[in-house]
Amino acid sequence: MSNNKKVLILGGGFAGVDAASYLRKEKYDVTLVSDRDYFYIYPTSIWVPTGRAKFEDVCVDLKELQRAHGFELIVDGVVDIKAATKTVTLQSGKVLEGYDYLIFAMGASKMKPKGIENTLSICGDPKQSLEIKDALDALVKKGSGKIAFGFGGNPKDTSAVRGGPGFELLFNVHHMLKKKGVRDNFELTMFAPMAKPGARMGEKSLAMMDKMFTRSNIKKHFGTKIKSFEKNAVVFADDTKLESDFIMFIPAGDGHEVIKASDLPLNEAGFIKINDYCEVEGMEGIYAIGDTAALEGPEWRAKQGHLAELMAKNTAFNIIAKDAGLNERKGYQEHINILCVMDTADGAGFVFRDDKKAFMIPMPIFGHWLKQGWGKYCRLSKLGKIPRIPGM
Ligand SMILES: Cc1cc2nc3c(=O)[nH]c(=O)nc-3n(C[C@H](O)[C@H](O)[C@H](O)COP(=O)(O)OP(=O)(O)OC[C@H]3O[C@@H](n4cnc5c(N)ncnc54)[C@H](O)[C@@H]3O)c2cc1C
């Protein structure tokens, strides 16, 4: 059944899937386009490289989500956008037009430092989580080695830096090697160009992370810019090298290439400029949500999944209110916070920051199960099999 208003959503991640499900509840005629045929639960993908989760465990088939919510699904890549006329061209050549609303939810691209092909990332193409697993398995088989994990910055938009999953995966690898009884044969190093990576979580969290590094015998290489990557080394701006048999590197987010080539208004890094209601500046009926949008707010703001979901919910509300002739709108900026259960395989740290407080609470053992439970909740609630918990 339809209310005769047509919405085109580009992207099938946290932002796109939630926008589709909320709008379908109000009988909007929703079409969702994604270049992958699955929704990827990035937060629990950190367990794929160590074998704690299978790749399928962190994927939800978009066809299943389509059946649950009743949207039209097109699995195809967006290659061209003319926002002024709400016209979208797909890789197959198909042209989509005639929509009342357009919602951009295509996530971000990544910065490409020199030699990036010598690294793998837990935050890029989902399939790389399996390649990381293969690389780690090969090193374990070899019996010893040096492993370097790091992340980079984007000076044009600090909200696009993503370090948390790097810390999580590193602690999980430490734990895996310990369990296999080979930890002492491996040198683990975390590297980042910032002097205090993770500083936006707040000073208390930083101090706690530092203790965790010492306790786990993880070396740190912080505060020197990264120049490039070689096959077995990270090269820094001062031409020193960090030798490594395997490099996992998370480049900072950058504006999506297709969006950068469009007529959408962008910030310096290529993210779409929006107002508090996720409306794209100067364009009627066009919204941008999740990682693809330029976030406004405190300097520690970060692109996160729960914020993507909130932006999706607000956007659906704002569209419904607009069509009902109501003046009420919901903004995202007052809800900006950092919220993360940072997994360490044998527990987790609950990290929270808003404009009033910043803390990290250690949660031995239970924290790990909490994050696992959240992964199951995420799948089932997205499929509409269990109700959504408010705020989650
Ligand atoms: C390893 C990892 C762990 C994380 N942990 C947490 C956490 O604990 N808590 C938290 O809040 N956040 C976490 N995040 C961040 C969170 O996952 C992101 O903020 C969230 O995924 C953003 O959702 P999105 O829908 O905007 O983008 P994405 O999830 O990136 O989705 C983008 C969608 O667009 C599609 N797409 C891209 N390009 C095209 C194209 N050209 N044509 C068609 N479709 C396209 C993609 O296939 C995908 O479906 C983590 C991220 C990573 C990578």
Side-chain angles (χ1 to χ4, degrees):
M1 220 166 69
S2 161
N3 72 0
N4 290 325
K5 290 275 186 182
K6 291 175 70 181
V7 185
L8 178 60
I9 299 175
L10 305 176
F14 280 92
V17 164
D18 269 17
S21 81
Y22 286 121
L23 286 164
R24 279 300 301 144
K25 283 199 180 83
E26 296 301 318
K27 311 287 179 235
Y28 279 76
D29 185 347
V30 175
T31 301
L32 185 142
V33 180
S34 170
D35 61 355
R36 315 196 260 267
D37 61 2
Y38 56 90
F39 161 71
Y40 195 58
I41 310 175
Y42 274 111
T44 53
S45 69
I46 47 146
W47 294 317
V48 174
T50 55
R52 282 203 164 212
K54 292 204 175 65
F55 187 74
E56 312 81 82
D57 298 339
V58 293
C59 298
V60 186
D61 190 340
L62 277 178
K63 281 203 204 82
E64 264 192 80
L65 287 160
Q66 175 193 27
R67 276 194 293 277
H69 302 291
F71 53 79
E72 191 193 333
L73 173 66
I74 302 177
V75 178
D76 203 340
V78 173
V79 292
D80 189 64
I81 296 159
K82 303 269 183 291
T85 53
K86 295 195 183 80
T87 309
V88 171
T89 308
L90 304 181
Q91 202 161 11
S92 60
K94 191 171 179 171
V95 176
L96 302 173
E97 51 197 346
Y99 291 86
D100 299 289
Y101 297 102
L102 210 57
I103 301 178
F104 289 95
M106 285 158 60
S109 291
K110 299 286 175 289
M111 306 271 285
K112 292 179 187 62
K114 196 169 163 224
I116 187 75
E117 66 281 3
N118 296 305
T119 71
L120 289 171
S121 171
I122 189 66
C123 296
D125 177 353
K127 293 276 160 59
Q128 285 200 11
S129 60
L130 292 168
E131 292 178 55
I132 297 172
K133 182 173 188 331
D134 290 345
L136 292 172
D137 287 350
L139 275 178
V140 168
K141 207 167 160 200
K142 194 178 137 228
S144 64
K146 291 180 178 179
I147 300 175
F149 276 37
F151 60 94
N154 182 344
K156 292 180 180 164
D157 191 334
T158 52
S159 75
V161 175
R162 186 157 284 150
F167 293 121
E168 289 185 286
L169 183 53
L170 186 52
F171 287 122
N172 270 266
V173 170
H174 160 77
H175 191 263
M176 175 193 75
L177 295 174
K178 231 173 91 177
K179 268 188 89 179
K180 289 185 188 290
V182 293
R183 174 63 181 91
D184 291 345
N185 302 346
F186 286 87
E187 187 178 289
L188 301 189
T189 308
M190 184 89 203
F191 65 95
M194 316 88 187
K196 289 182 173 183
R200 70 170 161 215
M201 295 186 298
E203 286 297 327
K204 282 185 196 151
S205 305
L206 214 58
M208 199 173 287
M209 293 282 293
D210 211 47
K211 280 190 195 142
M212 286 158 71
F213 277 126
T214 309
R215 209 169 42 228
S216 312
N217 190 25
I218 294 172
K219 293 184 177 5
K220 294 174 296 182
H221 192 300
F222 298 155
T224 316
K225 277 199 175 133
I226 299 158
K227 187 171 159 187
S228 62
F229 296 96
E230 293 175 356
K231 190 166 186 311
N232 287 118
V234 186
V235 186
F236 296 98
D238 57 7
D239 283 327
T240 55
K241 285 186 185 183
L242 172 66
E243 305 287 339
S244 183
D245 299 296
F246 171 62
I247 307 165
M248 197 294 301
F249 178 68
I250 306 172
D254 196 25
H256 194 293
E257 279 96 7
V258 178
I259 284 170
K260 275 184 175 174
S262 75
D263 55 347
L264 287 156
L266 307 175
N267 75 356
E268 224 194 319
F271 297 108
I272 306 172
K273 283 188 181 175
I274 53 169
N275 64 15
D276 197 20
Y277 309 131
C278 299
E279 295 164 338
V280 174
E281 273 184 10
M283 293 188 154
E284 182 64 26
I286 302 194
Y287 297 77
I289 54 177
D291 284 5
T292 222
L295 300 181
E296 294 291 335
E299 51 69 42
W300 49 261
R301 73 204 185 284
K303 293 184 187 294
Q304 282 209 291
H306 68 276
L307 189 60
E309 291 180 340
L310 179 112
M311 292 169 100
K313 192 175 185 181
N314 284 0
T315 295
F317 177 93
N318 294 341
I319 288 175
I320 294 160
K322 184 171 181 270
D323 285 338
L326 303 172
N327 288 328
E328 196 190 351
R329 298 287 182 271
K330 287 191 176 171
Y332 77 92
Q333 285 165 9
E334 64 173 310
H335 300 284
I336 287 181
N337 58 34
I338 293 177
L339 182 66
C340 174
V341 175
M342 192 179 287
D343 186 75
T344 53
D346 55 356
F350 176 77
V351 179
F352 182 81
R353 177 169 195 173
D354 64 9
D355 51 5
K356 291 181 198 74
K357 50 196 174 303
F359 58 82
M360 183 183 202
I361 302 172
M363 294 189 293
I365 303 166
F366 167 72
H368 177 70
W369 298 118
L370 184 71
K371 187 144 183 158
Q372 284 213 325
W374 175 85
K376 292 193 173 79
Y377 160 79
C378 179
R379 169 186 298 279
L380 293 174
S381 62
K382 294 267 181 257
L383 286 167
K385 292 185 178 174
I386 55 169
R388 294 290 283 260
I389 301 169
M392 275 185 78

